[in-house]
């Protein structure tokens, strides 16, 4: 039975399955590093999914689709930024509202787009790399978005670690009062981080509707935004661990689907919950040292800043 | 350098800044010369902070102008002020605990060099000015004195013409203060002007060439602090004569609180572990526990108040083990605590004074019957505290947040004192409180002890401890020294007990340990 699962195909579909969550999680990590807790990832993702889908269908270009998804996600994030950074609303409540709003808005916009196939996203031609036996099919025969998402993770890691702008972003998340006292524009930096996070979530959503599924159905994100949020926390705000968490989740998801198809004698319910359990378990074990995690956690996470002093 | 030889560096003319309901600065004018150490004095709310924020570009004045070296100076933001040669060492709010020293320094600079280069420059400057500092350590792991060095070095790397220091010595040991003053004198000799804000009048008399005194936003006097006594300076600040707290001679009674072998691991990564703390407190005794911030004060208060539970036998109240009892059980037995942080720890900011009074006084004042709060009684109690402690508030239904720091402090201390505790533990009872309110709070502590209660005053203000305490113990890296009588105790001796200047006087530190543990633990 288990022999019917092809490991090559498994790894290949793992990368596809993980990309939406990876994109959303890496964006949310930047937002949280700036000290903002945006629980609206799910909402931004699904609005990105439908807007990206429509843009791709209308123009016939997947690139326009991804751009549309990113813009829609960023627009949702801008709404969140306006409410929390300018009008000082509560971040948790606003984030939850953003998710509910996004789910409703996407079904409204998506009327009449059910059952349509979007234009196919091109594979990235990696030349001889794709011809390597086994490895070529596993790793080097995907669409360009998969590699773009990996590049984004590397870029975010380097940005936060080495660049001055990244240092300022971390400083704002660590103590907004101190950053303000030194003359940094806390609200502007946070709004920019939020827009970046929204664009990433929108991209992740667009990837779902354009490549992973690929078609539009209502509520198609099915909790991917929430697992992205959880991965950021359990990965203790480290880009490398976010990658690990997203791939682990995608991997176990693909594996359990394959196991279900192969008819393994484990109840389906257990298989379905496996990705969530295993991902959180592994990341919790990695970040078992609480004091080191607290060191990496943005101290101002979820706290509103008002320059009153 | 003589007064006449000095070039004027910064002139301030008629600066005015009003906030809704209050004029923070009203037509403030004075001048600072190059190489001058100029003190800015005033009570809380006199407008010192607003004034320096205007010089540093954090706040824009409504009216008035500033002239820096002959050119008009109106920085729209701190980076402009830094570019013009104005640097500021903040009282708090300006360091990032989870970042390294070098990263913290880089954040305060306009064009920060590469980390490695910056680390080399930090090492260079710290050597030049005798301020040892490792650029790669996390700020969260540093002592208060070391943190201040980070701020000072951050300023020095920009070669400032004017250095603003807001309450720099409030968290330092006497030895660290001496090192700081040497650095400042060296800077002044090199021509850097220093604008120095402090409550500590003796320090100002020792360090400053000139002083400008603010009261309610206006300049009320300019003087040479060396020609005034500290008392005269204080009375200029307050605009009234000051009463010194008086204490009656008392003989301590029976032991009420016994702590033996109290060891606590902290919950947060930058907390301090308490190690084997032992002390005995007698009825009528006021014990002062000194120490630089971050040496276990908060953890000790939490262990005494019951927020942190310990071995039952580690803390005994009148012989009864209470180490595992919660705060309410301890209150019922007569052990009350007032923590340092007024807003958010001692008081709930958005609740009224009546509600805040009820929060700790329900048990001893019987404010609850059958599960319901007796609000009329709670209001009477809050009004009683307000009247007795002269808390300036429109009424007891005002939110705690709306009170000024000093008034809220009087309220939270008063709330505990009025419950007639048998043991009262206070942490930093007069932190950030002006002279008149501080005197009132200290008097209340002394009166309580005179009525037979035992009091522990945890404080970083050594003058305060000398004023109220009968015995003194030093808290250093989570260890408590053996208490000694405050009578005849010198500031130098206290400084040694506190562990000297961090990382500078290792020998003194060892000596202090030998003093405090005569048996010697080999």
């Amino acid at each position: 039975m288990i022999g019917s699962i092809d490991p090559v195909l498994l790894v290949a579909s793992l990368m596809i399955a993980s990309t939406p969550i990876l994109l959303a999680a890496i964006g949310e990590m930047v937002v949280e590093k700036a000290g903002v807790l945006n629980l609206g990832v799910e909402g931004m993702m699904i609005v990105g999914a439908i807007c990206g889908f429509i843009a791709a269908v209308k123009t016939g270009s997947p690139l326009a689709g991804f751009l549309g998804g990113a813009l829609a996600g960023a627009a949702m994030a801008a709404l969140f930024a306006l409410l929390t950074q300018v009008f000082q609303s509560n971040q948790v409540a606003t984030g939850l509202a953003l998710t509910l709003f996004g789910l409703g808005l996407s079904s409204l916009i998506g009327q009449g787009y059910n059952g349509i196939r979007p234009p196919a996203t091109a594979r990235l031609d990696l030349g001889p790399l794709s011809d390597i036996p086994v490895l070529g099919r596993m790793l080097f025969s995907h669409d360009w978005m998969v590699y773009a998402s990996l590049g984004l993770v590397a870029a975010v890691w380097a940005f936060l670690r080495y660049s001055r702008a990244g240092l300022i972003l971390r400083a704002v998340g660590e103590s907004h009062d101190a950053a303000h006292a030194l003359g940094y524009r806390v609200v502007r930096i946070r709004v920019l981080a939020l827009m970046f996070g929204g664009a990433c979530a929108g991209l992740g959503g667009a990837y779902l509707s354009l490549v992973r599924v690929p078609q539009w159905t209502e509520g198609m994100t099915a909790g991917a935004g929430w697992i992205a949020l959880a991965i950021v926390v359990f990965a203790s705000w480290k880009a490398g661990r976010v990658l690990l968490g997203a791939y682990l989740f995608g991997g176990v998801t693909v594996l359990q689907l394959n196991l279900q198809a192969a008819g393994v004698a484990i109840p389906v319910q257990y298989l379905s919950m496996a990705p969530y359990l295993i991902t959180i378990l592994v990341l919790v074990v990695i970040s078992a040292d609480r004091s080191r995690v607290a060191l990496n956690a943005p101290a101002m996470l979820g706290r509103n800043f008002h320059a009153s002093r | 350098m003589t007064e006449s030889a000095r070039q004027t560096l910064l002139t301030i003319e008629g600066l005015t800044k009003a906030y809704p309901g209050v004029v923070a600065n009203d037509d403030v004018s004075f001048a600072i010369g190059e190489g001058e150490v100029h003190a800015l004095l005033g009570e809380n709310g006199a407008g010192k902070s607003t004034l320096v924020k205007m010089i540093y570009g954090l706040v824009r004045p409504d009216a008035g102008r500033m002239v820096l070296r002959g050119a008009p100076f109106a920085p729209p933001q701190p980076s402009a002020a830094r570019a013009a040669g104005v640097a500021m060492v903040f009282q708090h709010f300006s360091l990032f605990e989870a970042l390294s020293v070098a990263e913290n320094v880089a954040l305060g600079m306009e064009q920060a060099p590469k980390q490695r280069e910056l680390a080399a420059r930090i090492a260079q400057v710290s050597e030049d000015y005798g301020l040892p500092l490792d650029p790669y350590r996390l700020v969260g792991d540093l002592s208060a004195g070391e943190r201040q060095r980070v701020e000072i070095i951050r300023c020095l790397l920009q070669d400032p013409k004017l250095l603003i220091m807001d309450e720099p010595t409030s968290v330092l040991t006497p030895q660290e203060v001496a090192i700081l003053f040497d650095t400042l004198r060296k800077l002044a000799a090199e021509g850097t002007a220093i604008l120095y804000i402090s409550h500590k009048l003796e320090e100002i008399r020792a360090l400053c060439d000139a002083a400008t005194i603010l009261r309610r936003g206006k300049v009320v006097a300019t003087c040479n602090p060396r020609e005034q006594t500290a008392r005269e300076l204080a009375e200029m600040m307050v605009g009234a004569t000051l009463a010194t707290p008086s204490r009656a001679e008392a003989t301590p009674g029976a032991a009420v609180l016994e702590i033996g072998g109290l060891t606590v691991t902290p919950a947060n990564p930058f907390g301090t572990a308490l190690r084997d703390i032992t002390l005995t407190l007698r009825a009528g005794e006021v014990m002062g526990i000194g120490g630089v911030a971050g040496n276990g004060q908060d953890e000790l208060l939490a262990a005494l108040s019951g927020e942190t539970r310990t071995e039952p036998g580690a803390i005994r109240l009148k012989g009864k083990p209470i180490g595992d009892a919660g705060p309410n059980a301890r209150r019922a037995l007569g052990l009350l605590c007032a923590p340092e942080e007024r807003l958010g720890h001692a008081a709930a900011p958005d609740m009224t004074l009546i509600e805040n009074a009820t929060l700790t006084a329900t048990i001893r004042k019987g404010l609850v019957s059958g599960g319901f709060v007796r609000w009329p009684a709670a209001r009477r109690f809050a009004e009683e505290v307000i009247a007795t402690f002269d808390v300036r508030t429109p009424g007891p239904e005002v939110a705690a947040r709306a009170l000024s720091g000093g008034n809220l402090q009087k309220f939270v201390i008063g709330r505990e004192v009025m419950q007639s505790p048998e043991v009262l533990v206070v942490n930093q009872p007069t932190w950030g409180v002006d002279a008149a309110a501080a005197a009132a709070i200290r008097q209340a502590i002394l009166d309580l002890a005179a009525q037979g209660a035992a009091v522990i005053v945890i404080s970083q203000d050594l003058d305060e401890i000398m004023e109220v305490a009968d015995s003194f113990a030093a808290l250093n890296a989570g260890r408590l020294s053996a208490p000694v009588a405050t009578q005849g105790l010198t500031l130098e001796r206290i400084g040694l007990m506190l562990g000297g200047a961090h990382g500078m006087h290792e020998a003194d530190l060892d000596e202090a340990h030998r003093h405090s543990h005569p048996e010697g633990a080999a």
Side-chain angles (χ1 to χ4, degrees):
Chain A
M1 280 189 310
I2 296 179
S4 66
I5 299 172
D6 177 1
V8 174
L9 216 58
L10 190 74
V11 174
S13 46
L14 172 165
M15 293 181 74
I16 306 280
S18 309
T19 300
I21 296 163
L22 178 62
L23 282 166
I26 201 73
E28 178 67 10
M29 192 188 90
V30 170
V31 172
E32 293 192 8
K33 269 292 187 192
V36 188
L37 182 64
N38 184 355
L39 293 182
V41 181
E42 180 86 359
M44 300 188 299
M45 266 185 105
I46 196 142
V47 170
I50 183 58
C51 291
F53 188 81
I54 294 173
V57 168
K58 294 276 185 210
T59 60
S61 147
L63 177 65
F66 285 119
L67 269 179
L71 282 176
M76 290 284 283
L79 180 64
F80 179 87
L82 178 73
L83 291 172
T84 59
Q85 304 303 307
V86 180
F87 297 127
Q88 301 281 316
S89 71
N90 178 291
Q91 294 182 8
V92 171
T94 311
L96 292 173
L98 195 71
T99 289
L100 296 175
F101 171 64
L103 288 169
L105 182 70
S106 62
S107 357
L108 178 70
I109 305 175
Q111 298 283 339
Y113 286 92
N114 287 319
I116 301 176
R117 269 196 88 79
T121 305
R123 273 187 183 184
L124 190 65
D125 186 13
L126 289 168
L129 280 178
S130 312
D131 300 333
I132 303 172
V134 186
L135 270 186
R137 271 186 64 208
M138 270 188 188
L139 305 176
F140 302 115
S141 55
H142 295 295
D143 56 274
W144 55 270
M145 203 59 208
V146 168
Y147 305 109
S149 70
L150 292 173
L152 192 65
V153 172
V156 164
W157 173 79
F159 169 79
L160 288 177
R161 195 180 166 93
Y162 295 113
S163 78
R164 178 162 173 84
L167 176 61
I168 293 171
L169 183 116
R170 282 189 287 143
V172 167
E174 179 59 29
S175 166
H176 47 222
D177 290 320
H180 175 70
L182 289 176
Y184 294 108
R185 304 286 172 88
V186 173
V187 169
R188 182 185 297 175
I189 291 162
R190 286 189 170 165
V191 168
L192 289 176
L194 275 166
M195 303 276 277
F196 174 79
C200 286
L203 267 185
Y207 191 85
L208 265 181
S209 62
L210 294 178
V211 182
R212 170 88 207 277
V213 174
Q215 61 171 357
W216 165 251
T217 43
E218 273 182 31
M220 70 183 302
T221 45
W226 293 112
I227 198 74
L229 266 167
I231 283 173
V232 174
V233 176
F234 289 117
S236 53
W237 298 272
K238 290 187 168 160
R241 289 187 191 175
V242 166
L243 177 67
L244 174 77
Y247 271 50
L248 194 67
F249 182 81
V252 181
T253 306
V254 170
L255 181 67
Q256 66 94 2
L257 286 173
N258 276 301
L259 287 174
Q260 280 187 35
V264 176
I266 303 172
V268 174
Q269 289 83 351
Y270 289 115
L271 287 174
S272 312
M273 69 172 87
Y276 300 90
L277 280 179
I278 293 175
T279 307
I280 289 176
L281 204 68
V282 167
L283 290 172
V284 164
V285 169
I286 294 178
S287 5
D289 187 350
R290 297 309 304 167
S291 59
R292 293 217 49 87
V293 171
L295 211 60
N296 215 24
M300 293 292 131
L301 188 59
R303 296 223 216 136
N304 277 355
F305 169 73
H306 185 60
S308 57
R309 277 181 287 267
Chain B
M1 232 187 271
T2 60
E3 291 288 336
S4 53
R6 265 190 198 131
Q7 296 277 320
T8 303
L9 176 76
L10 175 72
T11 314
I12 289 170
E13 286 170 11
L15 276 194
T16 299
K17 176 75 192 175
Y19 289 109
V22 58
V23 180
N25 282 148
D26 187 0
D27 195 19
V28 172
S29 305
F30 64 95
I32 305 170
E34 281 181 20
E36 177 181 291
V37 185
H38 192 109
L40 199 54
L41 282 170
E43 289 192 283
N44 292 79
K48 296 167 301 191
S49 296
T50 308
L51 183 61
V52 296
K53 279 178 182 170
M54 286 194 283
I55 300 174
Y56 193 58
L58 274 168
V59 172
R60 255 181 257 191
D62 297 336
R65 63 190 207 113
M66 293 181 273
V67 177
L68 186 70
R69 292 175 157 192
F73 177 63
Q77 61 204 35
S79 56
R82 287 198 289 263
V86 177
M88 180 157 168
V89 173
F90 293 87
Q91 187 181 6
H92 33 95
F93 294 145
S94 114
L95 289 180
F96 306 92
E97 291 200 337
L99 304 182
S100 75
V101 169
E103 284 174 327
N104 267 284
V105 171
L107 280 165
M109 297 176 74
E110 290 316 307
Q111 252 88 46
K114 289 233 161 59
Q115 288 285 302
R116 199 170 304 156
E117 217 173 293
L118 185 61
R121 282 182 59 192
I122 291 171
Q124 177 69 41
V125 171
S126 65
E127 196 171 312
D128 288 353
Y129 289 93
L131 304 165
L133 204 56
D134 174 359
Y136 294 108
R137 278 181 71 189
L138 283 185
V139 167
D141 296 332
L142 301 183
S143 74
E146 288 172 310
R147 285 178 196 214
Q148 191 182 51
R149 283 179 212 160
V150 179
E151 298 231 26
I152 294 173
I153 285 174
R154 175 154 77 186
C155 293
L156 294 185
L157 279 175
Q158 300 173 74
D159 203 9
K161 301 291 164 282
L162 173 65
L163 182 62
I164 304 171
M165 305 204 79
D166 192 357
E167 300 260 354
T169 59
S170 55
V171 292
L172 302 185
T173 62
Q175 279 82 353
E176 284 176 323
V177 170
I179 294 169
L180 174 70
F181 281 11
D182 286 344
T183 308
L184 294 183
R185 287 195 186 102
K186 190 168 176 183
L187 276 172
E190 289 167 6
T192 307
I194 295 164
L195 185 58
Y196 189 90
I197 301 178
S198 179
H199 276 128
K200 298 194 179 171
L201 302 170
E202 286 301 340
E203 288 180 359
I204 282 173
R205 293 187 61 241
L207 181 73
C208 299
D209 308 314
T212 296
I213 297 166
L214 290 178
R215 195 194 311 149
R216 295 200 192 95
K218 288 187 178 140
V219 176
V220 291
T222 308
C223 63
N224 182 344
R226 294 191 176 125
E227 292 164 1
Q228 312 283 330
T229 64
R231 195 181 179 85
E232 283 166 348
L233 289 173
E235 290 179 354
M236 279 193 258
M237 279 161 59
V238 181
T241 43
L242 276 179
T244 319
S246 60
R247 58 208 285 189
E249 279 303 313
T251 39
V256 279
L257 183 73
E258 289 161 282
I259 304 176
L262 174 68
T263 298
V264 177
T265 353
N268 92 54
F270 298 126
T272 309
L274 296 179
R275 286 169 223 189
D276 197 19
I277 288 191
T278 300
L279 68 84
T280 304
L281 192 67
R282 297 173 179 284
E285 179 182 358
V286 180
M287 181 182 287
I289 294 184
V292 177
N295 271 300
Q297 286 91 341
D298 295 344
E299 288 79 5
L300 179 61
L301 185 107
L304 288 175
S305 71
E307 287 169 70
T308 310
R309 311 285 169 89
T310 57
E311 292 284 306
I315 304 172
R316 286 172 188 274
L317 187 65
K318 291 183 286 182
K320 197 172 183 302
I322 56 161
D324 59 346
N328 276 335
R330 295 187 193 199
R331 283 182 189 130
L333 289 168
L335 171 59
L336 302 183
C337 292
E340 171 183 6
E341 181 64 40
R342 292 185 278 265
L343 284 174
H345 197 177
D350 290 318
M351 294 177 89
T352 66
L353 295 181
I354 302 175
E355 287 166 328
N356 270 301
T358 316
L359 285 176
T360 71
T362 34
I363 294 167
R364 289 187 78 77
K365 285 284 164 183
L367 297 181
V368 167
S369 68
F372 290 92
V373 179
R374 295 166 51 214
W375 288 116
R379 167 182 282 269
R380 274 197 301 281
F381 175 62
E383 280 168 348
E384 223 178 301
V385 173
I386 290 168
T388 315
F389 281 80
D390 186 27
V391 180
R392 312 272 166 85
T393 164
E397 54 287 287
V398 166
R401 186 190 290 287
L403 265 63
S404 75
N407 275 312
L408 184 58
Q409 188 68 23
K410 283 196 272 187
F411 183 81
V412 295
I413 300 276
R415 176 181 68 181
E416 307 304 330
V417 170
M418 299 282 289
Q419 295 177 45
S420 26
E422 300 200 25
V423 179
L424 176 67
V425 183
V426 290
N427 189 6
Q428 295 278 69
T430 61
W431 183 76
V433 167
D434 59 49
I441 289 171
R442 289 174 194 160
Q443 186 63 56
I445 290 171
L446 289 173
D447 291 347
L448 187 68
Q451 290 157 23
V455 184
I456 292 181
V457 178
I458 304 173
S459 178
Q460 288 157 41
D461 185 345
L462 296 177
D463 297 333
E464 169 167 283
I465 288 181
M466 297 301 274
E467 202 170 304
V468 298
D470 305 310
S471 55
F472 171 81
L475 193 60
N476 187 8
R479 292 178 195 278
L480 192 72
S481 72
V484 293
T486 41
Q487 224 156 23
L489 201 58
T490 61
L491 272 181
E492 285 70 28
R493 175 77 200 284
I494 290 181
L496 291 180
M497 286 175 75
L498 294 181
H502 206 92
M504 297 233 29
H505 293 278
E506 295 296 337
D508 292 350
L509 193 93
D510 291 340
E511 197 191 335
H513 272 295
R514 270 202 302 283
H515 277 299
S516 49
H517 305 288
E519 297 84 15

